[in-house]
Amino acid sequence: MANTACDKFRLVEGASGKTVLEGDCVPSQALGEGLRLLDFTALDKPGSYRLCFGDYCSEAFPVDDEVAQGTVWKLLNFIFCQRCGAPVPGKHGSCHGDVLAEHN
């Protein structure tokens, strides 16, 4: 297992291996005992990067404005398909129409 203790971290371009950002590993009581905050929000160039600290380097991960778009659409579609009381085309008809509530 890699030694992940750190005082500094590096953000490295996935393809070239070039370090594009360095920062401090900041202890954080809010995160829990022994955990560190590695803030690389200053990175403003889209691309594929690795996060390196201690003896550890992550797998490459994408950074861009659209990185979560596919996940958001899948989640919204799941919520749409779970609707009750209205038909969902290609999934199910209207259901639970016999459940009624009255105020007071």
Side-chain angles (χ1 to χ4, degrees), residues 16-41:
S16 71
K18 176 184 170 191
T19 298
V20 295
L21 183 73
E22 292 182 346
D24 295 324
C25 299
V26 180
S28 171
Q29 293 302 320
L31 294 175
E33 183 67 32
L35 297 179
R36 306 280 190 264
L37 179 66
L38 285 60
D39 181 0
F40 54 94
T41 55

Side-chain angles (χ1 to χ4, degrees), residues 95-101:
C95 57
H96 299 112
D98 58 342
V99 178
L100 302 173

Side-chain angles (χ1 to χ4, degrees), residues 19-96:
T19 298
V20 295
L21 183 73
E22 292 182 346
D24 295 324
C25 299
V26 180
S28 171
Q29 293 302 320
L31 294 175
E33 183 67 32
L35 297 179
R36 306 280 190 264
L37 179 66
L38 285 60
D39 181 0
F40 54 94
T41 55
L43 179 74
D44 59 359
K45 181 182 173 192
S48 179
Y49 298 94
R50 294 176 180 270
L51 189 57
C52 301
F53 53 92
D55 295 336
Y56 176 78
C57 240
S58 73
E59 293 293 323
F61 58 90
V63 172
D64 66 47
D65 291 338
E66 307 296 325
V67 73
Q69 189 173 23
T71 302
V72 169
W73 279 111
K74 288 173 186 163
L75 287 169
L76 287 173
N77 186 58
F78 175 77
I79 292 168
F80 173 75
C81 291
Q82 297 301 309
R83 294 187 314 164
C84 282
V88 177
K91 298 295 179 190
H92 62 77
S94 185
C95 57
H96 299 112

